[in-house]
């Protein structure tokens, strides 16, 4: 039952982000007549209606808010820990949840053209990093703790993009994929050894093992 509810939560939350993202894509097509990154990178810096461009940039950013679990659409990620641990390692560390961060980096020319949008991205990322880490210290399920840690790290990546640190963000995206995947696989190993026990308060004395 809990797995089913988690699936619904992930699906619905991501559709909210995707709706904004789709509107952003449609606006880009209507305004500029193309969705080609190279063409857009040439046209957008010359566009003068900054107010409208800010709205478009924030709509595009709605996609990463959903997919990369930024506040307030972060609620689905910890629940998605229902899956098998190797799946968590693959999806929630290395591939799916960083797709939103990569999108911001790939379409960075759009966000650079509107400093207000970059400011919003930086604040959302910074708040998510702090907020998720604070929730993590109150959890007792070993995989949920790692899920909130992932949210926090994604917040750092988004914040780095918001302050213009494109290289820093992509570097952390790469390193995070490795260390978080290893953390998840380590957690899976511990859970398996303890006969599917996931409550950290029932663990201890594992160092000699």
């Amino acid at each position: 039952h809990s797995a089913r509810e988690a699936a619904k939560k992930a699906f619905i939350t991501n559709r909210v982000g995707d709706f904004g993202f789709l509107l952003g894509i449609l606006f880009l097509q209507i305004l500029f007549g193309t969705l080609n990154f190279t063409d857009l990178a040439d046209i957008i810096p010359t566009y003068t209606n900054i107010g409208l461009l800010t709205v478009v940039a924030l709509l595009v950013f709605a996609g990463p808010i959903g997919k990369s679990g930024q506040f307030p659409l972060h609620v689905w990620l910890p629940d998605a820990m229902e899956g098998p641990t190797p799946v968590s390692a693959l999806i929630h560390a290395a591939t799916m949840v960083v797709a939103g961060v990569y999108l911001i980096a790939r379409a960075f020319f759009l966000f650079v053209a509107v400093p207000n949008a970059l400011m919003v991205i930086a604040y959302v990322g910074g708040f998510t990093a702090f907020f998720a880490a604070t929730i993590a210290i109150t959890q007792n399920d070993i995989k949920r703790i790692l899920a909130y840690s992932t949210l926090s790290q994604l917040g750092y990546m988004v914040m780095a993009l918001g302050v213009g640190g494109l290289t820093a963000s992509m570097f952390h995206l790469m390193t995070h994929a490795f260390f978080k995947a290893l953390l998840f696989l380590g957690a899976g190993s511990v859970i398996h050894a303890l006969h599917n026990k996931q409550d950290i308060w029932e663990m201890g004395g594992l160092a000699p093992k």
Side-chain angles (χ1 to χ4, degrees):
H1 177 73
S2 58
R4 220 167 43 232
E5 293 304 309
K8 284 196 288 197
K9 196 174 193 177
F11 182 78
I12 294 164
T13 310
N14 273 284
R15 289 303 75 79
V16 174
D18 290 350
F19 179 66
F21 183 40
L22 180 62
L23 287 179
I25 293 173
L26 294 173
F27 266 119
L28 285 173
Q29 178 66 43
I30 292 163
L31 291 175
F32 305 113
T34 179
L35 292 175
N36 185 301
F37 278 113
T38 316
D39 297 343
L40 286 173
D42 294 336
I43 304 167
I44 284 176
T46 62
Y47 191 68
T48 49
N49 190 343
I50 297 298
L52 185 56
L53 203 56
T54 304
V55 172
V56 174
L58 290 175
L59 283 171
V60 171
F61 178 51
I65 288 178
K67 190 60 71 189
S68 290
Q70 299 302 292
F71 181 86
L73 298 181
H74 64 284
V75 291
W76 66 272
L77 189 57
D79 288 35
M81 293 296 106
E82 285 286 342
T85 310
V87 175
S88 303
L90 186 66
I91 293 180
H92 298 121
T95 50
M96 187 187 74
V97 291
V98 293
V101 178
Y102 178 73
L103 170 69
I104 302 171
R106 186 68 185 83
F108 203 56
F109 54 82
L110 168 63
F111 299 104
V112 165
V114 275
N116 285 348
L118 273 185
M119 180 80 85
V120 170
I121 290 171
Y123 274 116
V124 168
F127 180 74
T128 303
F130 180 74
F131 176 75
T134 310
I135 296 176
I137 59 176
T138 68
Q139 298 296 310
N140 55 18
D141 181 317
I142 189 168
K143 283 177 72 181
R144 284 182 81 90
I145 293 168
L146 291 180
Y148 279 113
S149 160
T150 299
L151 283 175
S152 183
Q153 301 303 312
L154 290 166
Y156 281 121
M157 294 174 210
V158 172
M159 183 173 72
L161 287 166
V163 296
L166 189 65
T167 313
S169 180
M170 289 297 99
F171 178 75
H172 188 46
L173 186 151
M174 194 69 183
T175 52
H176 173 262
F178 288 93
F179 76 72
K180 189 53 61 71
L182 289 170
L183 276 168
F184 269 119
L185 292 173
S189 177
V190 170
I191 291 166
H192 186 65
L194 296 175
H195 309 294
N196 297 324
K197 203 178 278 181
Q198 290 185 218
D199 188 340
I200 56 169
W201 299 112
E202 294 178 19
M203 299 174 185
L206 300 176
K209 296 281 195 294

